[in-house]
Amino acid sequence: MIATAAQREPFSVVGISVSSWTFAIRVWLATILALFASFWLQLEAPTSAAVTVAILAEPTRGQALDKAGFRLMATILGVIASIAITGLFSQSRDLMLTACSVWLGLCVFAAKLLDGHRAYAAVLSGYTVAIVAIQQIDNPQNVFDAGVERGAAIAVGIMSIAVVNALMSAPDRHPRLAAQLAAIHRRVRQYASASFHGETSNPATFPALVREIVELRPEIGSVALESSSGPVRSAAARSAVVRLVAELQAARTLNTAPIHLDVATRDQTNAKVDPIDSSRSKTRMPVGLVSGQRRAPGVPTETSAWKIREFLRQDESVRQDLLALRSIKWPSRLWRAPIYRSYRTAAETGLRAALWFAIASTFFVWAGWSAASASLSSFTQFAALAIITPNPRGFTAIALIGIPIAAVSAGILEFIVLNGADGFSVLAIALAPFTICAALLTASQNPLWSGLGRINLVGIATILAPSNPQSYNPQTFLFTSLFLFTAAAVLLAAQMLIPPVSDDKQRMRLLTEARGELGRPDLTNGEAPEEAMFRDASRIGQFLSAGGAQDSRALAEMLSCFDQSAMVRLCDSKLIQLSDGPFVPLAAQARAAIVTRDTATLRTVASVLREKAPHRDSIEAETAACLVLTSDAFDQDSGLESSREAT
């Protein structure tokens, strides 16, 4: 395995890429700079500066700055909430804990409606109250000072990692993002080209491409912070992902049925289709195209022509957006990339997080430990961070494994390596192997190793608690390690008593919500069809993240909902253009038929519009093709329903 990795990465040291080594060294240098600045400024919480660096350890400059901005804003909001909760409930411990539980639940609810660093900021606002208010539960008058000290330490950590990333020329995200988008574009073209050559496409290709596209969304925002041209690149990349979903859906429409074209249309299409797959012979006739002069234009021919034109139109739009990304130009249109939000799942998750906190606070109050507030604070951090991971229990299990490793590493560092030394240079050198090794694990592509690395990066700084001068107190070391481990253990017990929302429940809820949207007369929500399509694609991504790839029947139904919604929105956009003129009654009839899923009426309206169309590119002809394809999507969904009832 090491040899293979070395072959893939030409520049590597002991099988680890140079980029991972430079990342780890940047993290170590930023940690040292944060501690040095904290000691020089005589901050009371230098550990928070080091922990901030560990949390902001991201591979690219833009990602680190993006996360840093959200961390700072969330900390300010959390401190304000801490002051408010303490001011209102400082006279009653139980009411104060209840208020903290409610606040945590609200923050988790918000986090489940967001993604990326925004979700992290939401949960950070929740557990900041635990760090600031709960740890000062016996001294409420110190909450403001503790909040200011924490804010100052976080600012120092942010400045430290920003300076180190700038001086060491941390890589930008946009070159790799552009390469990923271009690669996805090629794969979408290959997926479409199967229909032109009479081949059967792999059913798993479409959902896999959807997931890859929507997972790029959180990273696009970080591109805006990389340079002065970052906002332009971010806008171009956002437009590209929205258009890629639209092109992918157009390619899927091509693959749903054979393509029928007359000779004239076939010849015109060949000239445009050939560049899509240059590896094929240009002289080869696509199998799915109908040749022969005696075939008269009809419904299949005109519908196929429209499907090809729609795909080529979206393909050209994607190509222009990718060109704008590479040439640093604003795209022709600024698109939003909305995500799907399941409010019921978010509310249920927030309620469970609040109940976890209530269970933990009851346990720690009953235990009566003198430092129970510190353990409850750690519990809240673990619980909040677990929520924004795909597998909350898995995160807690990794924490249970990682904390003892971090404790042993911190013990070796403090009592064997440092062993009473008080020179900052000694501390800097001693931290190097521990910080660099943890950072290398963090950069791993393996989720387990990456999680252990992150836990150790934060845990070593937390348990060591660097100060000036260093205390070297074995009792403090043991208590800190014990309470961190206890917090993770109590969280796992709470998750066993009140399990997180299961993957099965999330999938069924997403599917139910997708079905419910189809029953609404208006699916646009004020969004352009492409933007609404991206929102639905993000729902498919959430469905797949909840194990949807293994549930083939539910996945087929989810994709059917996606197909129907996409076609209904396209029909609506076409029918709007017929709102004035002689076709107003037909447009109204078509809208009513869409709501009732009356496929016969849709085809009748399409036939009338086709007869009245002056040419094949007219709005009447395009609307007719959309209505026919919508009726086909309804029929396919009816077939799925019949199959489900039969089984």
Side-chain angles (χ1 to χ4, degrees):
M1 294 297 294
I2 295 177
T4 304
Q7 292 171 2
R8 288 195 303 265
E9 175 59 63
F11 301 103
S12 61
V13 179
V14 296
I16 301 175
S17 65
V18 171
S19 60
S20 296
W21 281 106
T22 55
F23 164 72
I25 292 172
R26 289 201 309 272
V27 173
W28 168 61
L29 291 176
T31 302
I32 298 306
L33 180 59
L35 290 174
F36 178 82
S38 299
F39 293 161
W40 181 65
L41 294 172
Q42 298 183 1
L43 297 181
E44 293 185 8
T47 302
S48 295
V51 169
T52 295
V53 171
I55 291 175
L56 300 182
E58 297 290 342
T60 66
R61 176 172 49 183
Q63 289 173 307
L65 289 176
D66 189 42
K67 194 172 186 179
F70 282 112
R71 180 171 174 80
L72 189 58
M73 289 188 293
T75 299
I76 294 172
L77 179 60
V79 170
I80 293 173
S82 300
I83 295 172
I85 291 173
T86 303
L88 291 172
F89 306 109
S90 60
Q91 302 302 316
S92 174
R93 180 194 63 190
D94 294 340
L95 287 177
M96 186 173 179
L97 291 175
T98 301
C100 291
S101 176
V102 172
W103 173 253
L104 177 63
L106 291 174
C107 291
V108 168
F109 170 76
K112 295 301 290 184
L113 300 178
L114 302 170
D115 63 349
H117 295 153
R118 291 175 177 80
Y120 163 72
V123 297
L124 175 60
S125 299
Y127 70 72
T128 295
V129 171
I131 295 174
V132 175
I134 292 180
Q135 288 198 3
Q136 302 295 332
I137 195 169
D138 296 325
N139 301 288
Q141 69 278 4
N142 295 334
V143 167
F144 179 79
D145 292 339
V148 171
E149 285 291 336
R150 175 171 170 78
I154 288 175
V156 168
I158 291 173
M159 291 300 297
S160 299
I161 199 164
V163 168
V164 170
N165 282 345
L167 292 178
M168 293 192 65
S169 300
D172 290 331
R173 180 70 179 89
H174 70 83
R176 186 182 172 199
L177 178 63
Q180 285 179 288
L181 290 173
I184 292 174
H185 186 211
R186 287 192 296 271
R187 291 169 60 194
V188 171
R189 287 178 153 201
Q190 292 168 2
Y191 174 65
S193 69
S195 64
F196 297 123
H197 296 274
E199 300 173 358
T200 303
S201 60
N202 186 346
T205 301
F206 179 80
L209 284 170
V210 167
R211 186 172 185 177
E212 287 185 39
I213 294 170
V214 298
E215 284 181 348
L216 292 175
R217 181 188 180 276
E219 301 180 17
I220 291 175
S222 65
V223 174
L225 302 175
E226 292 181 344
S227 63
S228 58
S229 59
V232 180
R233 289 192 173 102
S234 180
R238 188 178 301 107
S239 297
V241 295
V242 173
R243 287 290 196 179
L244 272 172
V245 169
E247 182 183 6
L248 181 59
Q249 172 58 19
R252 177 173 169 80
T253 304
L254 285 170
N255 280 280
T256 54
I259 298 176
H260 303 276
L261 292 177
D262 56 27
V263 173
T265 306
R266 181 204 66 197
D267 294 339
Q268 295 175 4
T269 304
N270 272 335
K272 298 178 181 179
V273 172
D274 279 344
I276 293 179
D277 190 357
S278 59
S279 64
R280 298 183 185 270
S281 173
K282 292 187 177 182
T283 60
R284 179 179 174 183
M285 171 74 68
V287 175
L289 301 183
V290 175
S291 60
Q293 293 286 358
R294 287 181 291 182
R295 173 168 290 276
V299 176
T301 300
E302 295 179 4
T303 303
S304 297
W306 181 87
K307 290 194 290 186
I308 291 178
R309 290 198 304 274
E310 178 66 13
F311 171 77
L312 293 175
R313 182 178 70 85
Q314 297 293 354
D315 181 75
E316 176 62 19
S317 298
V318 173
R319 193 185 69 80
Q320 292 295 334
D321 287 336
L322 294 178
L323 180 61
L325 176 60
R326 292 192 299 269
S327 57
I328 318 178
K329 294 181 180 179
W330 289 101
S332 59
R333 176 168 177 176
L334 298 178
W335 294 95
R336 296 182 306 112
I339 61 171
Y340 180 75
R341 295 182 171 93
S342 177
Y343 289 91
R344 291 183 60 189
T345 299
E348 187 173 347
T349 305
L351 178 61
R352 290 171 188 246
L355 292 176
W356 291 347
F357 182 90
I359 292 173
S361 58
T362 301
F363 171 79
F364 288 122
V365 168
W366 172 79
W369 296 336
S370 58
S373 59
S375 194
L376 182 57
S377 173
S378 299
F379 170 90
T380 309
Q381 295 177 60
F382 289 142
L385 293 174
I387 287 296
I388 59 175
T389 62
N391 185 357
R393 280 185 183 173
F395 174 87
T396 308
I398 291 176
L400 280 172
I401 298 171
I403 289 172
I405 297 174
V408 171
S409 300
I412 294 173
L413 173 61
E414 184 171 4
F415 299 108
I416 297 179
V417 178
L418 292 176
N419 193 25
D422 58 1
F424 184 80
S425 58
V426 177
L427 174 64
I429 296 172
L431 274 173
F434 298 93
T435 304
I436 290 175
C437 288
L440 287 174
L441 287 176
T442 302
S444 171
Q445 298 299 316
N446 186 300
L448 174 60
W449 293 117
S450 179
L452 288 174
R454 184 74 67 176
I455 290 291
N456 275 268
L457 204 56
V458 175
I460 290 173
T462 302
I463 297 172
L464 178 64
S467 59
N468 188 21
Q470 190 71 23
S471 63
Y472 294 103
N473 188 330
Q475 185 177 10
T476 301
F477 167 81
L478 289 174
F479 280 176
T480 303
S481 303
L482 175 62
F483 287 134
L484 279 175
F485 184 82
T486 302
V490 172
L491 174 59
L492 185 61
Q495 290 174 339
M496 297 294 288
L497 290 173
I498 305 177
V501 182
S502 66
D503 286 348
D504 289 341
K505 191 171 186 178
Q506 291 185 58
R507 293 198 304 271
M508 292 303 102
R509 183 165 291 162
L510 288 169
L511 186 54
T512 301
E513 290 167 349
R515 275 284 175 199
E517 281 191 7
L518 286 177
R520 296 208 315 258
D522 181 18
L523 284 176
T524 60
N525 296 320
E527 301 167 326
E530 290 83 357
E531 292 174 340
M533 203 180 299
F534 187 90
R535 179 174 59 81
D536 289 350
S538 73
R539 175 165 53 199
I540 294 177
Q542 295 171 22
F543 182 86
L544 294 172
S545 296
Q550 286 73 42
D551 192 347
S552 58
R553 184 175 299 175
L555 178 59
E557 188 174 355
M558 176 65 77
L559 295 181
S560 175
C561 292
F562 180 76
D563 294 337
Q564 294 175 74
S565 298
M567 289 311 307
V568 167
R569 292 191 185 98
L570 283 174
C571 279
D572 185 70
S573 67
K574 303 295 183 185
L575 291 170
I576 288 175
Q577 300 180 54
L578 300 178
S579 298
D580 296 326
F583 298 108
V584 172
L586 281 176
Q589 187 179 359
R591 287 195 179 94
I594 288 174
V595 173
T596 59
R597 302 169 68 87
D598 185 351
T599 58
T601 301
L602 287 176
R603 290 189 173 94
T604 300
V605 173
S607 178
V608 175
L609 288 174
R610 191 181 306 108
E611 292 175 358
K612 301 292 185 181
H615 51 83
R616 69 173 190 174
D617 294 333
S618 64
I619 182 59
E620 294 85 0
E622 295 214 345
T623 304
C626 281
L627 292 176
V628 171
L629 291 174
T630 302
S631 63
D632 290 344
F634 287 162
D635 286 340
Q636 290 173 6
D637 183 65
S638 299
L640 284 175
E641 289 183 358
S642 301
S643 175
R644 288 193 301 271
E645 292 174 359
T647 55

